[in-house]
Amino acid sequence: MSNQTAPSPWKSLVELPANVWHSIFRNPLPSSDLGRASTSFTNFFLHLHPVKVHRNSLKASYTLGLGLISFFLFFILVVTGVLLMFYYVPSTTQAYDRMLDLRGTVAFGIFLRNMHRWSAHGMVAIVFLHMCRVFLTGSYKPPREFNWVLGVLLLLVTLFMSFTGYLLPWDQLAFWAITVGTSIAGYAPVFGKQIKFILLGDSTVGQEALLRFYVLHVAVLPAILSLLAAIHFWRIRKDGGLSRPAEEDALPAEMAEVQIVQGPAVVMATSAAAVNAAKPVLQKRHYGIQGLVRGPFTKVGNVPDRSVSPGRIFLWRSL
Amino acid sequence: MKIPARNAVEENGDAITRRRVLAWFSGFGLFGSLIITALSNLIFIKPRATYGQPNRFSIGKPEDFPSGARVSLDTQRVCIVRDGDKLAAISTTCTHLGCIVSVSETGFACPCHGSRYDQDGNVTGGPAPRALPWYQVSLAPNGEIEVDKDNEIEAGSYLRV
């Protein structure tokens, strides 16, 4: 019937490990800058970081890495926090004993709790220092003013996370700290008393307050913080990377004459990219490699363009 | 497929088109539901029932408090003062930031930030902005004393027992 014969079961079995291996590692390791750039560009996790960054961004003393440290601390807090949730009960009769059990009985409990505790203290301190760095380097100025606003919101959410977490051990320190803290909220003009009542769910710190603070601490605030942080990171890229002195962006005369000699035309996804490549490399230079890898590596822009504005067909505009 | 021109509205001038009416309705619906969502969340988060210490409670018979007694009830956060046949309930929640004040020789003292009050709850020192409130005390039909923390009364008004 056909010349093709089914491979022998034995041969299939022998090839199985290699098949599985090559199903996961589908491409050879990149050997060129272009290949490495395309790897970053087409990988979900790697694409978060730019393929090329400004020379200044590489200086450790430039930002002291405070923003990333904040993020890593938040990551530690999420991981240890989820693990602590397996053993903690937000009930006035159980919370304190559960906390003691986490310190004394649960395997690695004291390690997890201390990691959570010290990372929380650290995150508040580092976020504050991060804000100082941004202020002192003038990085809040346009075009980064919106990211500064996001940063202020992130600081407030971080402080509120710290405040809500403080009640959960349900010891004397926690109880009176939240009594005092919510009373301070009660001094707010006009709505103070109502804000305090809504925060506590009662007139004094009790079961309602513990449950409310727990839900805020483990669900509501982390969700808000994650969303804001995602936009915060996205804005860094959209605002042109980390801030730097304006004179750093003015290229020396000899570099302004450099032209891209590589970059075969077949690689170009769009005619616009081809035009850009033909021009002397100026302001866009820092992101040049990313422009080169677009075409063959992603489907976007590599398929016939028959898209229309969704507003034209889906929304009420077309009625 | 013929896609209608984007500037159809402009061509019609100021005439009220179907598109414009529908746009107005959907805009109204979207923003309306946003406002309703925000308001209903605010109403939802404010509890209608509380499960903590009730504001109106009984504290026992008058005989439980001999003359000259100043008994601080920490769970209810009141101090019961008995002087002869006069009886009163003074709040022990500090008016500064809500800690429980303790009974001292000169009146009341707050452990948190050092506010001082005299025997009647008037501020004598520290950051407290107001005097400790007095609460209405009444005799229930079963002969027990009932304190109502929702009703503040003038300092110095006693219940005769």
Side-chain angles (χ1 to χ4, degrees):
Chain A
M1 226 163 66
S2 94
N3 292 332
Q4 285 181 330
T5 52
S8 72
W10 176 246
K11 193 167 176 252
S12 298
L13 204 61
V14 167
E15 286 176 352
L16 183 66
N19 275 337
V20 172
W21 180 266
H22 291 299
S23 308
I24 299 167
F25 303 98
R26 303 183 299 279
N27 300 304
L29 273 178
S31 55
S32 63
D33 275 351
L34 185 66
R36 279 185 279 272
S38 75
T39 308
S40 297
F41 197 68
T42 52
N43 180 282
F44 175 77
F45 295 102
L46 295 180
H47 95 282
L48 295 176
H49 199 268
V51 174
K52 286 186 116 185
V53 294
H54 193 272
R55 188 180 298 276
N56 283 33
S57 303
L58 294 178
K59 288 183 193 165
S61 63
Y62 206 59
T63 65
L64 303 171
L66 291 167
L68 264 185
I69 293 173
S70 310
F71 174 73
F72 288 138
L73 285 173
F74 178 64
F75 181 74
I76 293 172
L77 284 164
V78 170
V79 172
T80 55
V82 166
L83 293 173
L84 291 173
M85 277 171 73
F86 279 105
Y87 284 100
Y88 178 80
V89 181
S91 141
T92 51
T93 54
Q94 289 194 54
Y96 181 67
D97 292 335
R98 293 285 185 151
M99 185 271 292
L100 290 184
D101 280 352
L102 271 166
R103 284 174 31 165
T105 311
V106 176
F108 311 115
I110 191 165
F111 182 67
L112 288 173
R113 192 178 115 84
N114 279 333
M115 256 177 77
H116 198 76
R117 184 180 149 79
W118 287 108
S119 303
H121 286 314
M123 188 173 161
V124 171
I126 296 288
V127 164
F128 177 74
L129 291 174
H130 176 52
M131 198 174 205
C132 289
R133 193 283 295 171
V134 169
F135 181 77
L136 293 173
T137 54
S139 306
Y140 57 87
K141 292 173 184 171
R144 297 178 176 81
E145 73 272 35
F146 179 60
N147 222 11
W148 169 263
V149 175
L150 286 175
V152 171
L153 292 177
L154 278 165
L155 172 77
L156 292 178
V157 176
T158 305
L159 291 177
F160 203 38
M161 290 276 294
S162 175
F163 182 65
T164 49
Y166 207 87
L167 181 64
L168 303 187
W170 201 248
D171 52 6
Q172 285 291 316
L173 186 67
F175 185 90
W176 294 110
I178 303 307
T179 299
V180 167
T182 51
S183 293
I184 292 171
Y187 274 97
V190 188
F191 297 112
K193 290 278 169 265
Q194 279 161 307
I195 291 172
K196 184 187 169 188
F197 184 68
I198 285 174
L199 268 177
L200 292 180
D202 205 339
S203 48
T204 52
V205 179
Q207 176 62 64
E208 296 305 297
L210 181 57
L211 188 59
R212 270 166 194 244
F213 276 46
Y214 178 73
V215 173
L216 285 173
H217 187 76
V218 305
V220 179
L221 294 173
I224 295 173
L225 198 142
S226 304
L227 180 69
L228 288 176
I231 307 173
H232 199 60
F233 295 164
W234 188 71
R235 284 293 347 153
I236 299 171
R237 295 288 296 275
K238 295 299 162 185
D239 293 336
L242 300 176
S243 68
R244 53 194 164 268
E247 59 267 25
E248 290 288 336
D249 279 342
L251 290 169
E254 71 272 15
M255 287 182 77
E257 289 167 8
V258 172
Q259 294 196 4
I260 291 184
V261 286
Q262 291 175 329
V266 286
V267 178
M268 298 303 162
T270 62
S271 55
V275 170
N276 280 339
K279 280 195 288 187
V281 193
L282 290 170
Q283 292 88 354
K284 295 285 181 190
R285 187 172 177 279
H286 307 306
Y287 304 97
I289 288 278
Q290 288 186 4
L292 287 176
V293 298
R294 277 178 67 197
F297 300 107
T298 56
K299 286 288 181 211
V300 177
N302 206 20
V303 290
D305 186 3
R306 304 196 54 191
S307 56
V308 290
S309 163
R312 280 284 173 89
I313 42 176
F314 295 126
L315 298 184
W316 43 264
R317 273 189 174 283
S318 57
L319 287 171
Chain B
M1 188 176 73
K2 176 96 169 73
I3 297 171
R6 200 168 255 264
N7 55 1
V9 177
E10 281 79 358
E11 281 167 10
N12 285 345
D14 288 334
I16 297 171
T17 58
R18 177 171 60 172
R19 178 180 293 186
R20 186 173 286 183
V21 170
L22 285 168
W24 195 81
F25 272 120
S26 49
F28 183 80
L30 274 174
F31 284 105
S33 50
L34 265 180
I35 290 166
I36 289 171
T37 308
L39 280 180
S40 47
N41 268 300
L42 207 63
I43 294 167
F44 168 79
I45 208 76
K46 188 173 179 178
R48 290 183 174 174
T50 58
Y51 304 89
Q53 184 65 36
N55 274 350
R56 195 175 166 151
F57 48 87
S58 78
I59 52 166
K61 308 257 183 206
E63 301 89 81
D64 300 339
F65 304 94
S67 181
R70 294 175 72 79
V71 182
S72 188
L73 307 171
D74 276 355
T75 29
Q76 288 93 340
R77 298 195 174 193
V78 286
C79 178
I80 306 301
V81 179
R82 175 90 188 255
D83 184 15
D85 63 344
K86 297 188 295 183
L87 194 140
I90 304 175
S91 165
T92 54
T93 302
C94 184
T95 55
H96 176 224
L97 288 173
C99 295
I100 297 181
V101 296
S102 46
V103 176
S104 71
E105 280 179 19
T106 53
F108 302 96
C110 182
C112 285
H113 307 100
S115 291
R116 294 274 180 281
Y117 304 87
D118 67 10
Q119 303 278 1
D120 287 342
N122 298 310
V123 181
T124 55
R130 287 183 309 278
L132 295 172
W134 289 42
Y135 294 127
Q136 191 172 56
V137 194
S138 54
L139 266 182
N142 63 359
E144 292 198 346
I145 308 163
E146 205 171 70
V147 179
D148 183 4
K149 288 177 78 172
D150 285 328
N151 269 325
E152 287 183 19
I153 55 171
E154 207 180 318
S157 25
Y158 290 90
L159 171 77
R160 304 272 168 181
V161 290

Coordinates of all heavy atoms in Angstrom, one line a residue, chain B residues 26-90:
Chain B
S26 N -25.3 53.2 26.7 CA -24.3 52.2 27.2 C -23.3 52.9 28.2 O -22.8 52.4 29.2 CB -23.5 51.5 26.1 OG -23.1 52.5 25.2
G27 N -23.0 54.2 27.9 CA -22.1 55.0 28.8 C -22.8 55.1 30.1 O -22.2 54.9 31.2
F28 N -24.1 55.5 30.1 CA -24.8 55.6 31.3 C -24.8 54.3 32.1 O -24.6 54.3 33.3 CB -26.3 56.1 31.0 CG -27.1 56.4 32.2 CD1 -27.0 57.6 32.9 CD2 -28.0 55.4 32.6 CE1 -27.8 57.8 34.0 CE2 -28.8 55.7 33.8 CZ -28.7 56.9 34.4
G29 N -25.1 53.2 31.4 CA -25.1 51.9 32.1 C -23.8 51.5 32.7 O -23.7 51.1 33.8
L30 N -22.7 51.8 31.9 CA -21.4 51.4 32.4 C -21.0 52.2 33.7 O -20.7 51.6 34.7 CB -20.3 51.7 31.4 CG -20.1 50.5 30.4 CD1 -19.1 51.0 29.3 CD2 -19.5 49.3 31.1
F31 N -21.1 53.5 33.6 CA -20.7 54.4 34.7 C -21.7 54.2 35.9 O -21.3 54.2 37.1 CB -20.6 55.8 34.3 CG -19.4 56.1 33.6 CD1 -19.4 56.3 32.2 CD2 -18.2 56.2 34.2 CE1 -18.3 56.5 31.5 CE2 -17.0 56.4 33.5 CZ -17.1 56.6 32.1
G32 N -23.0 54.0 35.6 CA -24.0 53.7 36.6 C -23.7 52.5 37.4 O -23.7 52.5 38.6
S33 N -23.3 51.4 36.7 CA -23.0 50.1 37.4 C -21.7 50.3 38.2 O -21.6 49.7 39.2 CB -23.0 49.0 36.4 OG -22.1 49.3 35.3
L34 N -20.8 51.1 37.7 CA -19.6 51.3 38.4 C -19.9 52.0 39.8 O -19.4 51.6 40.8 CB -18.6 52.2 37.6 CG -17.5 51.5 36.8 CD1 -16.7 52.5 36.1 CD2 -16.7 50.6 37.7
I35 N -20.7 53.0 39.7 CA -21.0 53.7 40.9 C -21.8 52.8 41.9 O -21.5 52.8 43.1 CB -21.8 55.0 40.6 CG1 -20.9 56.0 39.8 CG2 -22.5 55.6 41.8 CD1 -21.7 57.1 39.2
I36 N -22.8 52.1 41.3 CA -23.5 51.2 42.2 C -22.6 50.1 42.8 O -22.7 49.8 44.0 CB -24.7 50.5 41.4 CG1 -25.7 51.5 41.0 CG2 -25.3 49.3 42.2 CD1 -26.8 51.1 40.1
T37 N -21.6 49.6 42.0 CA -20.7 48.6 42.6 C -19.9 49.2 43.8 O -19.8 48.6 44.8 CB -19.7 48.2 41.5 OG1 -20.5 47.7 40.4 CG2 -18.9 47.0 42.0
A38 N -19.4 50.4 43.6 CA -18.6 51.1 44.6 C -19.4 51.3 45.9 O -19.0 51.0 47.0 CB -18.0 52.4 44.1
L39 N -20.7 51.8 45.7 CA -21.5 52.1 46.8 C -21.9 50.8 47.6 O -21.9 50.7 48.8 CB -22.8 52.8 46.4 CG -22.6 54.3 46.1 CD1 -23.9 55.0 45.7 CD2 -22.1 55.0 47.4
S40 N -22.3 49.8 46.8 CA -22.8 48.6 47.5 C -21.6 47.9 48.2 O -21.8 47.3 49.2 CB -23.4 47.6 46.5 OG -22.6 47.5 45.3
N41 N -20.4 48.0 47.7 CA -19.2 47.4 48.4 C -19.0 48.2 49.7 O -18.7 47.5 50.7 CB -18.0 47.6 47.5 CG -17.7 46.3 46.7 OD1 -17.6 45.2 47.3 ND2 -17.8 46.5 45.4
L42 N -19.2 49.5 49.7 CA -19.1 50.3 50.9 C -20.1 49.9 51.9 O -19.9 49.7 53.1 CB -19.2 51.7 50.6 CG -18.5 52.7 51.5 CD1 -17.0 52.5 51.4 CD2 -18.8 54.1 51.1
I43 N -21.4 49.7 51.5 CA -22.5 49.3 52.4 C -22.2 47.9 52.9 O -22.4 47.6 54.1 CB -23.8 49.3 51.6 CG1 -24.1 50.8 51.3 CG2 -24.9 48.7 52.5 CD1 -25.3 50.9 50.3
F44 N -21.7 47.0 52.0 CA -21.5 45.6 52.4 C -20.4 45.5 53.5 O -20.6 44.7 54.4 CB -21.0 44.8 51.2 CG -20.4 43.4 51.5 CD1 -21.3 42.4 51.8 CD2 -19.1 43.2 51.5 CE1 -20.8 41.1 52.1 CE2 -18.6 42.0 51.9 CZ -19.4 40.9 52.1
I45 N -19.3 46.3 53.4 CA -18.2 46.1 54.3 C -18.5 46.7 55.7 O -17.8 46.4 56.6 CB -17.0 46.8 53.6 CG1 -15.7 46.1 54.1 CG2 -16.9 48.3 53.9 CD1 -15.4 44.8 53.4
K46 N -19.5 47.5 55.8 CA -19.9 48.0 57.1 C -20.9 47.0 57.8 O -22.0 46.9 57.3 CB -20.5 49.4 57.0 CG -20.8 50.1 58.3 CD -21.2 51.5 58.1 CE -21.5 52.2 59.4 NZ -21.9 53.6 59.3
P47 N -20.4 46.4 58.9 CA -21.3 45.3 59.4 C -22.6 45.9 60.0 O -22.6 46.9 60.6 CB -20.4 44.7 60.5 CG -19.4 45.8 60.9 CD -19.2 46.6 59.6
R48 N -23.7 45.1 59.8 CA -24.9 45.4 60.4 C -25.1 44.8 61.8 O -25.8 45.3 62.6 CB -26.1 45.0 59.5 CG -26.1 45.8 58.2 CD -27.3 45.4 57.4 NE -27.5 46.3 56.3 CZ -28.3 46.1 55.3 NH1 -29.1 45.0 55.3 NH2 -28.4 46.9 54.3
A49 N -24.4 43.7 62.0 CA -24.5 43.0 63.3 C -23.0 42.9 63.8 O -22.1 42.6 63.0 CB -25.1 41.7 63.3
T50 N -22.8 43.2 65.1 CA -21.4 42.9 65.6 C -21.5 41.8 66.6 O -22.6 41.5 67.2 CB -20.9 44.2 66.3 OG1 -21.8 44.6 67.3 CG2 -20.7 45.3 65.3
Y51 N -20.4 41.1 66.8 CA -20.4 39.9 67.6 C -19.5 40.1 68.9 O -19.3 39.1 69.6 CB -19.9 38.7 66.8 CG -20.7 38.5 65.5 CD1 -20.3 39.2 64.4 CD2 -21.8 37.7 65.5 CE1 -21.1 39.0 63.2 CE2 -22.6 37.6 64.4 CZ -22.2 38.2 63.2 OH -23.0 38.1 62.1
G52 N -19.0 41.3 69.1 CA -18.2 41.5 70.3 C -19.0 41.8 71.5 O -20.1 41.4 71.7
Q53 N -18.3 42.5 72.4 CA -18.9 42.9 73.7 C -20.1 43.8 73.4 O -20.0 44.8 72.7 CB -17.9 43.7 74.5 CG -18.3 44.1 75.9 CD -18.6 42.9 76.8 OE1 -17.9 41.9 76.7 NE2 -19.6 43.0 77.6
P54 N -21.4 43.5 73.9 CA -22.5 44.4 73.7 C -22.4 45.7 74.4 O -21.6 45.8 75.5 CB -23.7 43.6 74.2 CG -23.1 42.6 75.2 CD -21.7 42.3 74.7
N55 N -23.0 46.8 73.9 CA -22.9 48.1 74.5 C -23.8 48.2 75.8 O -23.7 49.2 76.5 CB -23.2 49.2 73.5 CG -21.9 49.5 72.7 OD1 -20.8 49.1 73.1 ND2 -22.1 50.3 71.7
R56 N -24.8 47.3 75.9 CA -25.7 47.4 77.0 C -25.6 46.0 77.8 O -25.8 45.0 77.1 CB -27.1 47.6 76.5 CG -28.1 48.1 77.5 CD -29.4 48.4 76.9 NE -30.4 48.5 77.9 CZ -31.5 49.3 77.8 NH1 -31.6 50.0 76.7 NH2 -32.4 49.4 78.7
F57 N -25.2 46.1 79.0 CA -25.0 44.8 79.8 C -25.3 45.0 81.2 O -25.3 46.2 81.7 CB -23.5 44.4 79.6 CG -22.5 45.5 79.8 CD1 -22.0 45.7 81.0 CD2 -22.1 46.3 78.7 CE1 -21.1 46.7 81.3 CE2 -21.2 47.3 78.9 CZ -20.7 47.5 80.2
S58 N -25.5 43.9 82.0 CA -25.7 44.1 83.4 C -24.5 43.6 84.1 O -23.7 42.7 83.6 CB -27.0 43.3 83.8 OG -26.7 41.9 83.9
I59 N -24.2 44.2 85.3 CA -23.0 44.0 86.0 C -23.2 43.4 87.4 O -22.2 43.2 88.1 CB -22.1 45.3 86.1 CG1 -23.0 46.4 86.7 CG2 -21.6 45.7 84.8 CD1 -22.2 47.6 87.2
G60 N -24.4 43.0 87.7 CA -24.7 42.4 89.0 C -25.5 43.3 89.9 O -25.9 44.4 89.6
K61 N -25.7 42.9 91.2 CA -26.5 43.6 92.1 C -25.7 44.8 92.8 O -24.5 44.7 92.8 CB -27.0 42.7 93.3 CG -27.6 41.4 92.8 CD -29.1 41.4 92.9 CE -29.7 40.1 92.5 NZ -31.1 40.3 92.1
P62 N -26.4 45.8 93.3 CA -25.7 46.9 93.9 C -24.9 46.5 95.1 O -23.8 47.1 95.4 CB -26.8 47.8 94.4 CG -28.0 47.5 93.5 CD -27.8 46.0 93.2
E63 N -25.3 45.4 95.8 CA -24.6 44.9 97.0 C -23.2 44.4 96.6 O -22.3 44.3 97.5 CB -25.3 43.7 97.7 CG -26.8 44.1 98.1 CD -27.8 43.8 97.0 OE1 -28.2 42.7 96.8 OE2 -28.1 44.8 96.3
D64 N -23.0 44.0 95.3 CA -21.6 43.6 94.9 C -20.6 44.7 95.0 O -19.4 44.4 94.9 CB -21.7 43.0 93.5 CG -22.7 41.8 93.4 OD1 -23.0 41.2 94.5 OD2 -23.1 41.5 92.3
F65 N -21.1 45.9 95.1 CA -20.1 47.0 95.0 C -20.3 47.8 96.4 O -21.1 48.7 96.5 CB -20.4 47.9 93.8 CG -20.4 47.2 92.5 CD1 -21.5 46.7 92.0 CD2 -19.1 47.0 91.9 CE1 -21.5 46.0 90.8 CE2 -19.1 46.3 90.7 CZ -20.2 45.8 90.1
P66 N -19.4 47.5 97.4 CA -19.6 48.2 98.6 C -19.2 49.7 98.5 O -18.5 50.1 97.5 CB -18.6 47.5 99.5 CG -17.6 46.9 98.6 CD -18.4 46.5 97.4
S67 N -19.6 50.5 99.4 CA -19.3 52.0 99.4 C -17.8 52.2 99.3 O -17.0 51.5 100.0 CB -19.9 52.7 100.6 OG -19.6 54.0 100.5
G68 N -17.4 53.2 98.5 CA -16.0 53.5 98.3 C -15.3 52.6 97.3 O -14.1 52.8 97.0
A69 N -16.0 51.6 96.7 CA -15.4 50.7 95.7 C -15.2 51.4 94.4 O -16.0 52.3 94.0 CB -16.3 49.5 95.5
R70 N -14.0 51.1 93.8 CA -13.8 51.6 92.4 C -13.3 50.3 91.6 O -12.2 50.0 91.6 CB -12.7 52.7 92.3 CG -13.1 54.0 93.0 CD -12.0 54.9 93.1 NE -11.7 55.5 91.7 CZ -12.4 56.5 91.2 NH1 -13.4 57.0 91.8 NH2 -12.1 57.0 90.0
V71 N -14.3 49.6 91.0 CA -14.1 48.3 90.4 C -13.9 48.5 88.9 O -14.9 49.0 88.2 CB -15.2 47.3 90.7 CG1 -14.9 46.0 90.1 CG2 -15.4 47.2 92.2
S72 N -12.8 48.1 88.3 CA -12.6 48.3 86.9 C -12.9 46.9 86.2 O -12.3 45.9 86.6 CB -11.1 48.7 86.6 OG -10.9 49.0 85.3
L73 N -13.8 47.0 85.3 CA -14.2 45.8 84.5 C -13.6 45.9 83.2 O -14.0 46.6 82.3 CB -15.7 45.7 84.4 CG -16.5 45.8 85.7 CD1 -18.0 45.9 85.4 CD2 -16.2 44.6 86.6
D74 N -12.5 45.1 83.0 CA -11.7 45.3 81.7 C -12.3 44.8 80.5 O -12.1 45.3 79.4 CB -10.3 44.6 81.9 CG -9.3 45.5 82.7 OD1 -9.7 46.6 82.9 OD2 -8.2 45.0 83.0
T75 N -13.1 43.7 80.6 CA -13.8 43.2 79.3 C -14.9 44.2 78.9 O -15.0 44.5 77.7 CB -14.5 41.9 79.6 OG1 -14.8 41.7 80.9 CG2 -13.6 40.7 79.1
Q76 N -15.6 44.8 79.9 CA -16.6 45.8 79.5 C -16.1 47.2 79.3 O -16.7 48.0 78.8 CB -17.7 45.8 80.5 CG -18.7 44.6 80.5 CD -18.2 43.5 81.5 OE1 -17.0 43.5 81.9 NE2 -19.1 42.6 81.9
R77 N -14.9 47.4 79.8 CA -14.2 48.6 79.8 C -14.9 49.8 80.4 O -15.1 50.8 79.9 CB -13.9 49.0 78.3 CG -13.0 48.0 77.6 CD -12.4 48.6 76.3 NE -11.4 47.7 75.7 CZ -10.6 48.1 74.8 NH1 -10.7 49.3 74.3 NH2 -9.8 47.3 74.3
V78 N -15.4 49.5 81.7 CA -16.0 50.5 82.5 C -15.5 50.4 83.9 O -15.0 49.3 84.3 CB -17.5 50.5 82.6 CG1 -18.2 51.0 81.3 CG2 -18.1 49.1 82.9
C79 N -15.5 51.5 84.7 CA -15.1 51.4 86.1 C -16.4 51.7 86.9 O -17.0 52.8 86.6 CB -14.0 52.4 86.4 SG -13.6 52.4 88.1
I80 N -16.8 50.8 87.8 CA -18.0 51.1 88.6 C -17.5 51.8 89.9 O -16.7 51.3 90.6 CB -18.7 49.8 88.9 CG1 -19.0 49.0 87.6 CG2 -20.0 50.1 89.7 CD1 -19.8 49.7 86.6
V81 N -18.1 53.0 90.1 CA -17.8 53.8 91.2 C -18.9 53.8 92.2 O -20.1 54.1 91.8 CB -17.4 55.2 90.8 CG1 -17.1 56.1 92.0 CG2 -16.3 55.2 89.8
R82 N -18.7 53.4 93.5 CA -19.8 53.5 94.5 C -19.3 54.4 95.6 O -18.3 54.2 96.1 CB -20.0 52.0 95.0 CG -21.1 51.9 96.1 CD -22.5 51.8 95.6 NE -23.4 51.8 96.6 CZ -24.1 50.8 97.2 NH1 -23.8 49.6 96.7 NH2 -25.0 51.0 98.1
D83 N -20.2 55.3 95.9 CA -19.9 56.3 97.0 C -21.2 56.4 97.8 O -22.1 57.2 97.4 CB -19.4 57.6 96.5 CG -19.0 58.6 97.6 OD1 -18.8 58.1 98.7 OD2 -18.8 59.8 97.3
G84 N -21.3 55.7 99.0 CA -22.5 55.7 99.8 C -23.6 55.1 99.0 O -23.5 53.9 98.5
D85 N -24.7 55.8 98.7 CA -25.8 55.2 97.9 C -25.7 55.7 96.5 O -26.6 55.5 95.7 CB -27.2 55.6 98.5 CG -27.4 57.0 98.5 OD1 -26.4 57.8 98.4 OD2 -28.6 57.4 98.7
K86 N -24.6 56.3 96.1 CA -24.5 56.8 94.8 C -23.6 55.9 94.0 O -22.6 55.4 94.4 CB -23.8 58.2 94.8 CG -24.6 59.3 95.5 CD -24.0 60.7 95.2 CE -22.6 60.8 95.9 NZ -22.1 62.1 95.7
L87 N -24.0 55.6 92.7 CA -23.3 54.6 91.8 C -23.2 55.2 90.4 O -24.1 55.8 89.9 CB -24.0 53.3 91.8 CG -23.3 52.1 91.3 CD1 -23.6 50.8 92.1 CD2 -23.7 51.8 89.8
A88 N -22.0 55.0 89.8 CA -21.9 55.5 88.4 C -20.9 54.5 87.7 O -20.2 53.7 88.3 CB -21.3 56.9 88.4
A89 N -20.9 54.6 86.3 CA -20.0 53.9 85.5 C -19.2 54.8 84.6 O -19.8 55.6 83.8 CB -20.8 52.9 84.6
I90 N -17.9 54.8 84.8 CA -17.0 55.7 84.0 C -16.2 54.8 83.0 O -15.8 53.7 83.4 CB -16.0 56.4 85.0 CG1 -16.8 57.2 86.0 CG2 -15.1 57.4 84.2 CD1 -15.9 57.9 87.1

